[in-house]
Amino acid sequence: MLRTLWIRAIIESIPIAGNPSAWKEIESELRAKGIVANDDRLLDYQEERDFIRMGGESYGATFTVRVEGKSGATTRTVYAKAIIGGFGEEATAMVVRAQVERLRLLETWGIRTPHVYGCGKGTIYEEFISGKVPEPAHYPDLEDLARIAAILDCRGARPLNFLADLLEDGGGELRYVDAGCDLGHIEDGMVPRLERPALSTLLAAAGERAAEAVSAYERQYQRVKAEPTQGGGQ
C-alpha cells in the first residue's frame, strides 16, 4: 500500500521539494501501480483522505496526483481500497485479483465500473467516483436501474443489494463501484437466477413506483436475454 509513503512524505513532513530521492520513490510506486504512465511526469501528489473502514472486509483512502503527459497536465483522484482478508498475504492477494476480475467482467456485461489503474497484494487502485447511491423511488430514469438489475439476474449473479454498490457519478452515469463479497461469484455462462434477487432489491426500494419498475425490468430482461453471452472477462 501507499500508506508507508504517506507517513514518510506527509505525516513526517519530508521536504519533497528538496528531497529528490523521496519524490522519486513516490513516483516509482505510483508507476508500479499503473497510476502514473511510463511517459508521464509526476507534478504533484496529495493525500485527500486517510484509510477508513468501508465495510467488513475493506478500508478506503483517496489521494490526488497531477501528471504531465503528451496531451498536457491532468489531475486524477485515486481510490485505494485495502482488503483485509484475515487469511494471510497470498489469500488476500487472491481476493484482490478476484475483485478486479469481477469489475472487468461487469464491464463486458455492459455495467459501467471505475477504471482500475492497478493493484498490489492487498490493495486495489481505481478511479475515485464521487457520487450518491441511487434511490429507485426518486431516480429519474428507472430504465437505467432496471437494466443493471436485469443484467445481473440474467447473467446468474446473486448480489445481496446491488443498489448499495452503485453510485451516480457527476455526469449522471451509474457505476458499479464495489465487486466484493456482496456481489458474490460471477462468471460467463452461469444459469439465470429464477428467484431474480436484483429485481427483488429494486422492487423493495421502488415504493409507489413498483409497477413502473417491474415494467422497466421486464423490458430490459428481454433485451439482455436476446444478447449473445460474452466470451469471458479479461
Side-chain angles (χ1 to χ4, degrees), residues 19-132:
N19 192 338
S21 62
W23 184 256
K24 285 294 184 183
E25 187 175 354
I26 293 175
E27 188 173 33
S28 176
E29 186 72 13
L30 292 171
R31 289 189 194 281
K33 299 300 183 293
I35 299 164
V36 175
N38 289 332
D39 55 352
D40 287 347
R41 182 169 66 92
L42 180 64
L43 300 177
D44 191 26
Y45 166 84
Q46 180 66 48
E47 178 183 0
E48 300 291 338
R49 188 189 69 193
D50 202 353
F51 281 100
I52 60 172
R53 181 176 285 277
M54 301 301 293
E57 62 176 6
S58 66
Y59 286 76
T62 57
F63 59 93
T64 299
V65 297
R66 184 169 176 78
V67 301
E68 184 177 42
K70 294 179 180 179
S71 58
T74 58
T75 300
R76 60 181 65 111
T77 302
V78 180
Y79 177 62
K81 179 180 181 180
I83 307 298
I84 310 300
F87 300 104
E89 187 175 277
E90 287 305 316
T92 300
M94 290 179 62
V95 172
V96 167
R97 290 194 296 270
Q99 289 200 20
V100 171
E101 289 303 313
R102 285 198 288 270
L103 286 171
R104 290 174 177 168
L105 183 54
L106 288 174
E107 279 278 351
T108 70
W109 287 355
I111 299 176
R112 291 295 310 276
T113 64
H115 173 71
V116 175
Y117 296 105
C119 60
K121 289 187 175 181
T123 308
I124 302 170
Y125 301 95
E126 61 187 46
E127 172 191 7
F128 175 68
I129 304 298
S130 177
K132 58 183 179 180

Side-chain angles (χ1 to χ4, degrees), residues 136-137 142 199 202-218:
L142 273 179
L199 172 60
L202 180 63
L203 293 182
E208 295 180 355
R209 302 179 71 189
E212 181 185 352
V214 169
S215 297
Y217 174 90
E218 290 300 335

Side-chain angles (χ1 to χ4, degrees), residues 159-230:
L160 294 180
N161 180 359
F162 82 98
L163 292 172
D165 294 328
L166 288 176
L167 285 179
E168 180 185 359
D169 66 20
E173 190 166 19
L174 294 172
R175 304 285 198 100
Y176 210 105
V177 298
D178 190 350
C181 61
D182 286 355
L183 173 60
H185 173 74
I186 60 172
E187 63 178 312
D188 277 326
M190 294 197 303
V191 177
R193 294 285 179 180
L194 296 178
E195 66 272 29
R196 300 192 179 189
L199 172 60
S200 297
T201 298
L202 180 63
L203 293 182
E208 295 180 355
R209 302 179 71 189
E212 181 185 352
V214 169
S215 297
Y217 174 90
E218 290 300 335
R219 284 192 297 271
Q220 294 297 329
Y221 192 91
Q222 292 306 315
R223 291 172 183 169
V224 174
K225 190 176 179 180
E227 295 173 356
T229 303
Q230 297 290 340

